[in-house]
Structures are given as C-alpha cells and as structure tokens.
Amino acid sequence: MHAQSAVFWKQCRPEAQNMNASCWEVPVLSSETNGTSNWRPPPCSGTPADMPQLPTFTTAAKVRVIITFILCAVSTFCNLAVLWAASVHKRKSHVRVLIVNLTAADLLVTFIVMPVDAVWNITVQWLAGDLACRVLMFLKLQAMYSCVFVTVVISLDRQSAILHPLAVSMAPRRNRLMLTAAWTMSALFSIPQMFIFHNVTITYPANFTQCTTRGSFVTHGQETAYNMFTFCCLFLLPLSIMITCYTRIFIYISKKMAHHTLSPSEPHLRCSINNIPKARMRTLKMSIVIVSCFIVCWTPYYLLGLWYWFFPDDLEGKISHSLTHILFIFGLFNACLDPVIYGLFTIRFRRGLQGCGSGSTRKEAEHSVMAKS
C-alpha cells in the first residue's frame, strides 16, 4: 500500500483555485502508488483555455529517479554482500536464516519497487501493457508485505529468545513455520492488486494510458475499506506487534537487572549485566535497530497516505509533490539500511568481506556471534 500520493491535473480555468470551482480533479496515480485512487477522464467539452494538462516529467521527478537508481545500486551491493557472507558459514544459525530472509525481501524491493518506480516516473504514463500492470502491482505490494512480515518474525524470535531462553532448541522449527506464513501471507494479501489494477486510456487532450484502479470499486466506501485493510496489514498491525514484543523484552530485562542488583554474588560467566548472554543481547540490539529504522523510514509516508484518504481537500495545495517524492525515497532507504545494520552488529561480517576482496578461504569468512543465539 504505498500511501496514495496522486499527481493531480485539472480541467479548469486559471482562476479556479479549489476542487469545487467548476473543476474536475483527476488523480493520475504516480509510480509509487499501490493504492486505489479513482482515476476518471475529464469531460471533452470546453475551450483551449479549459484543456487539462497531462502529467510531465518534472524536475522533482527527475531528482527522484536519480536518487532511486542510486539507492537501487547501493541496496543491491549491500544486500548481495550479506547473502555472500551468510553463504560462507559452516554453521547455520536460525538468526542467520532470518537475516537471509529479510535480505531476500529487501532485494525484492530493490529489483521490483525501485526500478518500476523510476521507469514509471520517466515515462509518466504506463507503457508496459495491461498484464504487466497487474503483475507488477502484485509484485510491488508483495515485496512491501514480505519486508514487513519478516521484520515481525524477527521481533517474535527475539521475544522468545529473551523471555524463553530454554526453548532455543525449538527456534529453528518455529521460525521456519513463521517465515513460511510470512511469505504466504504476503502473496495472498497482494492478490487483489491483480484484479483492481488495469490499464485505462483517455484520448483527450491526447492519448494517455495509465495503470490505475478506475472502475474497480463501486463506491468510495469500498475503496476506503481496501485502503484501510492494506494500511493495517502493512503498517499498523505489524507495528503493534513489534512494539508489544520489545516492550515485553524491556520489562523482562528491567526485572533481570533489578534481580542482579540484589544478588551481586551470582557468577557473570559470558553474560551481560542483566544475566542475558552477550551474543543474544547483541542480536537483540540489532533487531531493535532494524525495527526502529523501518518505523522511522516509513511512518511519515504512511501518515501522509492517511491524510490523503480522509482529508483530500486539506491535502490539496498544502503538500507539494516534492515532499511526497522525498518521503517515498526516505521509505525506500530502509532497504539499504538493513544490510548495513547487520554488518555493524556482526563483528566478523566485515572480515568476511575483506577476505572476499583478498581471495581468502572460507575459514577467514564471517563466524557471527549470533550463531549462539
């Protein structure tokens, strides 16, 4: 569901300044839109002064395309580096499996969402045909869902690892089930995209084709219901689960620290101050940073989407398209941050990359401390 940031073009006189001033507002879905703004052609009457202006490749869109391609290149390098580092391990920890799945989801965003967004901004209209319209809108939403759902699985795994450390032997099987559910749900929840998106072509003022949802909803209520369902599944519900997991972890660690303060004679062994293994704490910190980056990167864009759905009149004239471009690019930046975070919190990850450059063997590759978590 990327939030609905429509590009508006109007058939109205220059002095008309609002939606009610004898003016048809026609949202043409910009390339980041996975949502469902109705797109309708303007009436074919009027003088040349009344002629609507078709969308163009603006300066803001050009900057967006350049930055998107840069992010695509950086994300590709970083995420493929993580996959390489994971592939040279002899021991396969269940945490590493989670990171590999998150990396795969990030690569979906890198190879589908980013290129489609950039190319669509360049062409302005949709030139790939109706089948590509349906399939790519399905894949775009699936990529977004998979990133979010795998992040939720990581949060649930960390909660179990901290709150129920004795059940660590069950973690691999439990995570496999959760990951299977995450990828399956991401595909199922994206299927409606193939039915509500389709090509629409107008002939006035010129031939113009767009991949949109015009005519897919009978009422505005149906459109809003679908948008809210997608918003809840893609952002609100996952965010609630993540916050719940880390709140429980924080409470548990606080109690452990209080108990440690009261019992200073307990052996430290390989544990941190709160009696939790250091390797597990390192993994916990990494997952918290991953979740925090997701929240920081995508929350502004989703809030803008909510504003558009419920108060479109207030949005018009107050939010520039440049800001929409910035917020969407900021969201895409999340796909680049995940592998960087993994590298920062995995001590020997950098050694593995250095070994790759110097032609070293597998023995010089990463042996992450997370193998013990």
Side-chain angles (χ1 to χ4, degrees):
M1 177 209 71
H2 295 194
Q4 323 304 341
S5 76
V7 176
F8 296 106
W9 57 284
K10 297 181 177 181
Q11 185 205 19
C12 57
R13 292 180 173 82
E15 64 272 15
Q17 299 296 324
N18 57 70
M19 292 172 58
N20 298 320
S22 63
C23 175
W24 287 88
E25 181 183 34
V26 186
V28 178
L29 297 182
S30 80
S31 53
E32 78 271 22
T33 305
N34 276 337
T36 54
S37 293
N38 284 333
W39 188 87
R40 56 183 182 276
C44 296
S45 61
T47 64
D50 300 318
M51 182 176 295
Q53 294 182 353
L54 295 175
T56 59
F57 190 29
T58 63
T59 301
K62 293 176 183 177
V63 173
R64 170 176 174 156
V65 167
I66 294 173
I67 297 177
T68 300
F69 277 129
I70 293 174
L71 289 180
C72 186
V74 173
S75 179
T76 298
F77 172 79
C78 292
N79 283 289
L80 289 180
V82 169
L83 288 183
W84 178 89
S87 68
V88 299
H89 278 284
K90 293 182 179 180
R91 290 183 59 185
K92 300 295 182 182
S93 76
H94 68 276
V95 174
R96 195 172 301 113
V97 172
L98 294 176
I99 296 301
V100 168
N101 276 266
L102 180 60
T103 302
D106 286 334
L107 284 174
L108 279 180
V109 174
T110 302
F111 294 149
I112 296 175
V113 178
M114 293 184 185
V116 170
D117 174 79
V119 174
W120 199 352
N121 270 282
I122 293 173
T123 62
V124 182
Q125 61 177 316
W126 185 262
L127 303 178
D130 185 72
L131 179 61
C133 166
R134 297 172 185 271
V135 173
L136 287 176
M137 293 305 103
F138 163 80
L139 292 176
K140 286 178 64 178
L141 191 57
Q142 183 189 22
M144 299 303 301
Y145 270 130
S146 60
C147 283
V148 178
F149 290 167
V150 173
T151 306
V152 170
V153 172
I154 292 175
S155 301
L156 293 171
D157 173 77
R158 290 301 87 201
Q159 175 185 253
S160 178
I162 301 299
L163 272 60
H164 308 288
L166 297 180
V168 65
S169 61
M170 301 174 58
R173 181 175 182 274
R174 182 190 64 241
N175 287 351
R176 283 197 300 270
L177 293 176
M178 289 194 297
L179 288 171
T180 300
W183 286 99
T184 302
M185 290 171 61
S186 67
L188 291 177
F189 288 179
S190 303
I191 289 177
Q193 296 287 99
M194 300 186 67
F195 297 96
I196 64 176
F197 272 92
H198 55 278
N199 274 11
V200 175
T201 302
I202 63 171
T203 58
Y204 176 84
N207 288 332
F208 189 89
T209 300
Q210 195 59 286
C211 177
T212 182
T213 61
R214 178 186 177 243
S216 298
F217 296 97
V218 178
T219 65
H220 179 69
Q222 292 179 351
E223 175 186 350
T224 301
Y226 178 74
N227 286 336
M228 289 307 302
F229 172 80
T230 308
F231 172 74
C232 290
C233 294
L234 193 58
F235 185 75
L236 194 58
L237 183 59
L239 180 62
S240 301
I241 296 175
M242 294 175 196
I243 291 176
T244 300
C245 288
Y246 291 109
T247 299
R248 294 187 65 192
I249 291 172
F250 175 77
I251 293 174
Y252 178 83
I253 292 177
S254 298
K255 292 180 179 179
K256 279 282 188 179
M257 293 179 67
H259 177 70
H260 178 80
T261 302
L262 295 176
S263 306
S265 60
E266 292 184 359
H268 289 273
L269 299 178
R270 297 180 61 192
C271 296
S272 59
I273 191 172
N274 48 33
N275 266 0
I276 296 175
K278 292 182 179 180
R280 195 163 296 161
M281 284 300 299
R282 179 182 294 276
T283 307
L284 172 62
K285 292 176 182 177
M286 181 191 71
S287 61
I288 291 176
V289 175
I290 288 176
V291 170
S292 300
C293 286
F294 165 77
I295 295 173
V296 171
C297 288
W298 282 113
T299 297
Y301 196 72
Y302 287 123
L303 291 179
L304 180 64
L306 283 179
W307 188 5
Y308 173 78
W309 292 336
F310 293 103
F311 306 102
D313 294 358
D314 294 338
L315 188 65
E316 177 66 7
K318 294 183 179 180
I319 300 297
S320 67
H321 300 313
S322 297
L323 177 60
T324 303
H325 291 312
I326 293 172
L327 294 183
F328 181 68
I329 291 173
F330 192 55
L332 291 181
F333 188 56
N334 184 63
C336 301
L337 289 177
D338 287 341
V340 173
I341 294 168
Y342 175 72
L344 291 176
F345 280 87
T346 306
I347 296 176
R348 294 193 176 96
F349 173 74
R350 294 181 295 276
R351 297 181 188 175
L353 291 182
Q354 293 172 356
C356 176
S358 62
S360 62
T361 63
R362 284 175 175 261
K363 292 182 180 180
E364 296 174 303
E366 175 194 12
H367 291 284
S368 172
V369 292
M370 291 189 302
K372 301 175 182 179
S373 58

